[in-house]
Amino acid sequence: MRPTAIIALDVPSRAEAERLLDRIGPSADYVKVGLQLFTAEGPDVVRAMTARGCRVFLDLKLHDIPATVAHAVTSAAGLGADLLTIHTSGGAAMMRAAAKARDAAGPSAPRLLGVTLLTSLTEREAAEAWGRDSVDAGAEVARLARLAEECGLDGVVSSVHEVTTVRGATSDGFRVLTPGIRLAGDVAGDQARVATPAEAARLGSDYIILGRSITAAADPAAAMARALAELNSLPVTA
């Protein structure tokens, strides 16, 4: 199956988010609300997006004590978020508390995705941050994905280059979301591990994040159409 495309609303205000969505048009039906927009506008921006008919990926990358994260999951369910991120590095107790809160929230609860290794990090930078001589990105992502699944999360966030590794380390139905998606010819920006929509689809991503390739384009609607055409040209797989 083809991945679901999510538009990254990495803008400083709800007004700018609304203008961007108006420019892209009805194909922008799944959006990411991240830290920049959420801290500027608060929970109301999620409500505004759902009122537009959009599904919302609430990318807050929660990382705190288990009780605090569990309460945040409950709050996200009340907002109508479809997906919510937490850091796998928060540990097993935190992830299990989040999963328990998701289950208690019932059908309105967001799916929980565990952030593994940020796509902005190179292996050298990860090793420096973690105090190691070296880091194998694939091995680390696989380890964290296994832990996330064991703790009851619905999936993980990883670079497209680790999707195959995650698939090999987890069960069928475990979801993978991949940021760092760029249309062919676009600059990588601050993402160290990037890929095109077609590459992400072929490797088995369930969700892809379309950011600056769409949102910074002179014609966002045309750029979005190009991305969707690339995805729709691929054969459908089970």
Side-chain angles (χ1 to χ4, degrees):
M1 53 189 298
R2 300 185 184 103
T4 298
I6 303 175
I7 294 294
L9 298 179
D10 294 329
V11 294
S13 71
R14 172 182 165 182
E16 290 190 50
E18 299 273 10
R19 283 195 294 271
L20 176 60
L21 293 178
D22 289 341
R23 292 182 68 197
I24 296 172
S27 59
D29 59 356
Y30 208 137
V31 300
K32 184 195 88 167
V33 173
L35 287 172
Q36 180 186 17
L37 185 55
F38 191 83
T39 53
E41 297 285 357
D44 281 347
V45 73
V46 180
R47 298 187 183 99
M49 293 301 108
T50 58
R52 283 182 68 109
C54 294
R55 289 177 289 173
V56 176
F57 165 37
L58 188 54
D59 188 22
L60 299 185
K61 299 181 178 69
L62 302 174
H63 189 165
D64 212 313
I65 63 173
T68 297
V69 170
H71 291 317
V73 171
T74 302
S75 295
L79 292 175
D82 194 61
L83 297 172
L84 176 67
T85 47
I86 68 176
H87 267 291
T88 55
S89 57
M94 187 199 77
M95 287 191 281
R96 290 193 180 102
K100 184 177 180 179
R102 175 207 59 205
D103 293 344
S108 65
R111 293 186 180 94
L112 299 179
L113 302 180
V115 176
T116 55
L117 185 65
L118 293 173
T119 53
S120 59
L121 289 176
T122 64
E123 290 181 332
R124 180 185 60 79
E125 289 168 335
E128 180 182 45
W130 295 345
R132 301 184 190 175
D133 292 333
S134 63
V135 163
D136 181 321
E140 289 297 332
V141 170
R143 178 182 65 81
L144 291 168
R146 281 192 296 269
L147 179 61
E149 185 176 33
E150 290 168 5
C151 293
L153 270 58
D154 300 290
V156 292
V157 179
S158 81
S159 115
V160 71
H161 304 295
E162 284 89 56
V163 173
T164 300
T165 301
V166 171
R167 292 293 182 214
T170 58
S171 303
D172 290 345
F174 194 70
R175 298 167 187 264
V176 185
L177 180 149
T178 53
I181 303 301
R182 297 286 186 269
L183 296 179
D186 287 351
V187 297
D190 59 1
Q191 303 282 11
R193 304 191 307 284
V194 301
T196 67
E199 288 168 338
R202 292 190 187 102
L203 289 170
S205 297
D206 295 292
Y207 307 94
I208 60 172
I209 303 298
L210 298 173
R212 280 162 282 190
S213 282
I214 309 300
T215 61
D219 186 343
M224 183 67 173
R226 179 182 163 199
L228 294 178
E230 183 175 323
L231 292 175
N232 291 332
S233 69
L234 299 170
V236 177
T237 57

